[in-house]
Amino acid sequence: MRPLHWTSCESESAYLRDLGRAFGGALLFALPLLMTMEMWELGMVLEPWRLLLCLLAGLPILYGLSHYAGFSDRSGPVLNLLDTLGAVFVGAITACGLMLLFNVLEVDNLRIATGQMTLQIVPAAMGALVARKQLSSGRGDKVKKGDYVGELFLMAAGALYLGLNLAPTEEMRLIAYRIGPLAGLGIMALSLVLLHLIVFEVGFAGQEEKSSPMGALMHFTVPGYALCLLISAGILGLFGSQDGHEMAAMATNTVVLAFPASLGAAAARLLV
């Protein structure tokens, strides 16, 4: 039997290793947004209530990632909450450090600097929580066979991550402005087809029981795309990208952003 102090040191060493991977994951996932000018500007101009809502809306996603993935092998409601808070801390430190290094953090204005950091915390924390799967030889995936809710959650998380990376860019709004209704329907159809093909090929839990293409379509593809639309509309609303637009323009903006979001949803099973 190992001495108690040896076991304690081994446990602390393992957690420090997990924490180091979490910083690596935060850097890997957050870097595209940390180097995106539109995200710096959004942190300057968004109202405080939008910034706070962005953070609060991301916390349930982070807790779910802690439950289904997590940057340590600990489990349980309290431990998942601690890992979530740890991921938020890692995300904040990573975002602050890199924005200071890039000289884009408005340190002379506390409100603006806080806003810039707030927008970066959730994607960085998401990277911290999936680092165990991405940056280690072991599988960090806790989703079990047949866990349908878990699979849908991972699809939502993937849609959120890729949607966050593209929603701030001017190109999304430009594409929505340039396309017509028929092109919008074409984007929706292409999103559904690609989402279905990737989901069916990846082999989500529960697909063994619903192995037919139609079963996968109704069980994963349609609900998954509905989640992509909801998440895309939510991101655009929080970022103020829908303000002042007519209903048709808002719908087109959502459909355009839901295209990359659907790819993120489809690939989430490979990432997490």
Side-chain angles (χ1 to χ4, degrees):
M1 179 181 296
R2 292 181 177 178
L4 183 60
H5 73 277
W6 177 270
T7 304
S8 175
C9 290
E10 190 178 54
S11 176
E12 290 177 3
S13 175
Y15 186 75
L16 288 175
R17 184 172 61 250
D18 291 334
L19 195 60
R21 279 199 296 257
F23 274 102
L27 177 62
L28 181 65
F29 271 61
L31 196 58
L33 286 175
L34 288 168
M35 301 184 74
T36 298
M37 182 176 62
E38 289 89 349
M39 284 294 283
W40 312 336
E41 294 175 347
L42 279 173
M44 298 177 186
V45 302
L46 285 184
E47 300 94 327
W49 70 267
R50 289 185 192 267
L51 295 168
L52 179 61
L53 195 55
C54 284
L55 181 59
L56 293 179
L59 290 178
I61 296 288
L62 296 178
Y63 183 85
L65 280 175
S66 179
H67 175 70
Y68 287 114
F71 63 74
S72 74
D73 58 2
R74 308 184 303 175
S75 61
V78 175
L79 294 176
N80 288 336
L81 178 60
L82 292 176
D83 276 355
T84 300
L85 295 177
V88 170
F89 173 77
V90 168
I93 294 297
T94 303
C96 181
L98 283 181
M99 285 194 290
L100 283 173
L101 181 64
F102 298 155
N103 196 28
V104 298
L105 190 64
E106 298 292 333
V107 293
D108 295 334
N109 188 315
L110 182 60
R111 191 202 70 80
I112 290 178
T114 302
Q116 289 178 306
M117 281 188 54
T118 300
L119 284 181
Q120 302 284 358
I121 287 176
V122 171
M126 291 176 69
L129 288 169
V130 302
R132 187 164 171 257
K133 170 68 180 293
Q134 293 300 304
L135 304 179
S136 71
S137 57
R139 288 183 61 84
D141 181 15
K142 300 179 186 176
V143 178
K144 307 300 182 184
K145 178 180 177 180
D147 191 349
Y148 179 62
V149 174
E151 298 290 2
L152 288 183
F153 170 79
L154 293 182
M155 294 176 77
L160 176 64
Y161 172 71
L162 203 51
L164 280 175
N165 273 271
L166 293 171
T169 63
E170 188 67 27
E171 288 79 5
M172 288 292 101
R173 292 183 289 275
L174 180 60
I175 292 171
Y177 173 77
R178 293 176 67 92
I179 67 173
L182 288 179
L185 292 175
I187 290 175
M188 289 185 69
L190 181 60
S191 301
L192 280 164
V193 169
L194 292 177
L195 177 58
H196 180 68
L197 289 176
I198 297 174
V199 164
F200 195 67
E201 288 299 322
V202 166
F204 277 32
Q207 258 186 227
E208 292 81 1
E209 292 77 15
K210 302 186 183 319
S211 56
S212 69
M214 185 56 65
L217 175 70
M218 301 308 297
H219 205 57
F220 289 103
T221 307
V222 173
Y225 186 64
L227 287 173
C228 293
L229 289 172
L230 288 174
I231 288 170
S232 298
I235 294 173
L236 292 171
L238 286 175
F239 285 178
S241 300
Q242 304 281 48
D243 294 357
H245 289 287
E246 297 180 353
M247 188 63 67
M250 293 170 62
T252 306
N253 287 336
T254 302
V255 167
V256 169
L257 184 59
F259 175 60
S262 65
L263 297 179
R269 198 63 179 87
L270 301 175
L271 298 174
V272 182

